[in-house]
Amino acid sequence: MLGKHWWWHYWVFKGMSLVRNVAKLAPALATVKLIESLDELLENGSIEDLSEAAGVFNAASDHLNELLVLQEVFLRKTNDFGVAGAISSCLMLLGRYGEGAEWARLAYDLAKSTPEVSDRSISAIASMLFFYQSRVANWTDRDDLVRCVRKSVAAGEAINMSPFYIAMMDVTPQEHLYQAIQRSYANFSAIPGYLNFTRECISYGNRVKIGYVSWDVQEHATAYLMAGLFEKHDARQFEVFLFGHGPAMSSPSPMRKRLMDAVEHFVDISLLSDDESVALIRRLRIDVLVDLKGHTLHGRLGIFAHRPSSIQVSYLGFPGSTGMPCMDYMIADHFLVPEQSRDLYLEKIAYLPNCYQPTDDKREIGLIPSRKEMGLPENAFVFCSFNTLVKLTPKMFDVWCRILQSVPDSVLWLISTDKKVQENIVREAVERGVD
């Protein structure tokens, strides 16, 4: 007896045409289609089936545990560095940073030991390994990885790397811009009008229509920063749209409700492809479209590449250039982008007078925990650095250790994501003479 999804099984395993068609859908919708046939896919799927399906899951990232199972099965069928890298990314998204870094190392070693793998692919894996190891303060081969990446950027082959990863490396600002241009051109140059676009006319209605595009319509750092800004738009002058495309957009969340209440129009585009989102934005005649993600995870720069709005702006989520000619402005301050650095951005810099980063003035200050609760000495002087550990470089840790050595009875309080982080930090501190 054929199940209700017999047509799906037939095409998945008889021709792959449907898998490829599913991959063209919006990530969330494509994921639903694949979940329906996951068991049969794991049992009978070919290497090509599994590869296509892994790409769909990876794009959605709503079903990470399913993706992890799929990729591990794939790796057992083929010793593929790309699969090892995908498993690494999945583990990172699940918060299993130590394991993710180990899989990234495996991916890098597999890529280097495979003769037919291009330098471009090896450098892409090197950038990922650099970033993931940095998440757990593992600075092994750091300089070698940077050299590998810089070589690829210089050769114009850095199209598979995330500019977000590159931003954490010891590269020049010129190299960072060049890589962002390479990446964006490789991804979007096939879009008609990407380089020679026609600007839509501003509607000049009674109010300016501003649209914000973000995945972070949830309990996320960007949402905490932006909530107050959304609420303070002057409704007499601006009609505000928030285009959200994050996971489980219909699920309850105090922050999501606050953001939805703060804007005049909330539009869920999580099930829409880039083309469908572009068509919708054009129908709504948005005057100014603001991207809040840039080259970070879950960004939808593909929407902006179609130039659906009269004026397009990059703000907050990614402090570097998008490398895209269709992005008109980047909002910044003079600390983020000094005057002498303006030529390192394709975008025109729209300077705010003091600080470009908004802060929600309605956030409540929580209860102050005791030192004992936080595992801190009662009488020590406590230095704090609560940045993500990607920003803690060996050189910066040298500085911290010198400070600790010069200030008696002092400690450094860092964010620790897992046991591997603690082991690595303690080892590095001991090597610098700090216990």
Side-chain angles (χ1 to χ4, degrees):
M1 180 178 179
L2 295 176
K4 64 178 181 178
H5 301 299
W6 64 268
W7 51 272
W8 164 243
H9 300 318
Y10 175 84
W11 284 110
V12 164
F13 303 118
K14 296 298 182 182
M16 276 293 295
S17 61
L18 186 58
V19 174
R20 290 182 180 133
N21 287 335
V22 164
K24 297 176 183 178
L25 300 174
L29 186 58
T31 302
V32 171
K33 294 289 188 184
L34 282 184
I35 287 291
E36 293 173 350
S37 300
L38 181 60
D39 290 340
E40 190 168 352
L41 184 61
L42 293 174
E43 182 177 350
N44 300 317
S46 67
I47 295 299
E48 291 76 16
D49 298 334
L50 293 169
S51 180
E52 290 282 344
V56 171
F57 278 123
N58 206 32
S61 72
D62 277 355
H63 298 273
L64 295 174
N65 288 303
E66 289 89 346
L67 173 60
L68 195 59
V69 170
L70 189 70
Q71 290 167 336
E72 287 175 344
V73 171
F74 190 8
L75 193 63
R76 288 198 294 271
K77 293 191 175 187
T78 175
N79 210 23
D80 188 282
F81 76 92
V83 180
I87 291 175
S88 172
S89 298
C90 186
L91 288 166
M92 283 288 173
L93 291 172
L94 289 168
R96 293 157 61 178
Y97 301 121
E99 295 174 78
E102 291 172 357
W103 277 93
R105 167 60 64 179
L106 174 61
Y108 182 63
D109 291 342
L110 286 172
K112 289 208 302 180
S113 63
T114 306
E116 62 270 21
V117 175
S118 66
D119 290 343
R120 183 173 71 185
S121 295
I122 292 175
S123 62
I125 296 293
S127 70
M128 183 183 74
L129 176 59
F130 177 96
F131 185 78
Y132 289 176
Q133 286 191 160
S134 298
R135 288 293 299 262
V136 292
N138 180 347
W139 299 322
T140 305
D141 297 337
R142 187 181 180 92
D143 292 339
D144 290 340
L145 295 173
V146 172
R147 278 192 291 270
C148 178
V149 168
R150 296 185 72 177
K151 178 182 176 182
S152 185
V153 172
E157 297 181 338
I159 62 173
N160 294 332
M161 305 177 201
S162 167
F164 183 66
Y165 294 171
I166 304 298
M168 307 299 171
M169 292 184 165
D170 297 325
V171 301
T172 66
Q174 291 84 357
E175 288 172 321
H176 190 248
L177 172 61
Y178 186 34
Q179 194 274 329
I181 293 173
Q182 292 176 38
R183 170 82 167 192
S184 297
Y185 183 82
N187 287 342
F188 307 126
S189 60
I191 295 174
Y194 176 70
L195 295 177
N196 299 302
F197 55 82
T198 300
R199 189 186 300 275
E200 297 286 333
C201 294
I202 296 178
S203 61
Y204 291 112
N206 293 329
R207 296 184 295 165
V208 176
K209 292 184 176 182
I210 302 178
Y212 293 88
V213 180
S214 182
W215 185 84
D216 303 323
V217 187
Q218 54 181 308
E219 306 298 325
H220 188 279
T222 299
Y224 284 112
L225 294 175
M226 290 291 295
L229 186 149
F230 287 136
E231 292 168 343
K232 287 180 171 57
H233 279 83
D234 187 346
R236 295 169 299 179
Q237 301 184 63
F238 303 105
E239 185 177 358
V240 180
F241 296 73
L242 177 55
F243 298 94
H245 57 90
M249 293 299 297
S250 60
S251 64
S253 161
M255 178 53 70
R256 179 173 293 130
K257 183 179 185 307
R258 181 180 173 189
L259 295 177
M260 293 172 68
D261 291 343
V263 297
E264 193 167 339
H265 308 280
F266 176 77
V267 185
D268 182 356
I269 60 171
S270 60
L271 297 180
L272 301 185
S273 66
D274 284 353
D275 288 345
E276 292 167 334
S277 299
V278 167
L280 173 61
I281 291 168
R282 284 177 174 158
R283 286 199 302 272
L284 293 172
R285 297 187 63 80
I286 301 299
D287 298 312
V288 182
L289 193 64
V290 183
D291 174 50
L292 297 177
K293 292 299 291 181
H295 288 288
T296 62
L297 187 64
H298 307 304
R300 295 285 296 269
L301 287 174
I303 293 174
F304 291 79
H306 287 80
R307 172 61 78 166
S309 179
S310 306
I311 297 173
Q312 303 194 150
V313 182
S314 175
Y315 181 45
L316 194 63
F318 183 72
S321 177
T322 61
M324 299 173 66
C326 58
M327 199 67 79
D328 301 300
Y329 295 94
M330 172 179 162
I331 297 175
D333 56 40
H334 286 87
F335 181 81
L336 182 68
V337 184
E339 287 284 350
Q340 63 270 25
S341 298
R342 294 178 69 164
D343 60 349
L344 298 173
Y345 293 79
L346 287 193
E347 302 85 352
K348 295 177 181 178
I349 305 301
Y351 283 109
L352 292 180
N354 297 306
C355 179
Y356 88 112
Q357 179 175 296
T359 299
D360 180 18
D361 57 6
K362 294 182 180 179
R363 288 193 68 184
E364 296 182 2
I365 298 176
L367 297 175
I368 300 176
S370 67
R371 290 191 173 211
K372 183 177 181 180
E373 289 174 318
M374 295 293 101
L376 296 169
E378 288 295 333
N379 300 313
F381 186 91
V382 180
F383 293 100
C384 301
S385 178
F386 294 151
N387 286 303
T388 175
L389 287 177
V390 170
K391 301 176 183 179
L392 182 64
T393 66
K395 291 181 180 178
M396 183 56 67
F397 196 58
D398 289 342
V399 174
W400 275 121
C401 287
R402 289 199 297 271
I403 291 173
L404 292 174
Q405 289 168 333
S406 64
V407 179
D409 299 320
S410 63
V411 297
L412 175 61
W413 191 7
L414 301 171
I415 292 178
S416 175
T417 50
D418 60 25
K419 184 178 179 181
K420 184 63 69 175
V421 171
Q422 297 178 30
E423 293 174 355
N424 292 336
I425 286 291
V426 169
R427 184 188 68 251
E428 294 290 341
V430 171
E431 290 179 0
R432 289 163 174 77
V434 175
D435 57 22

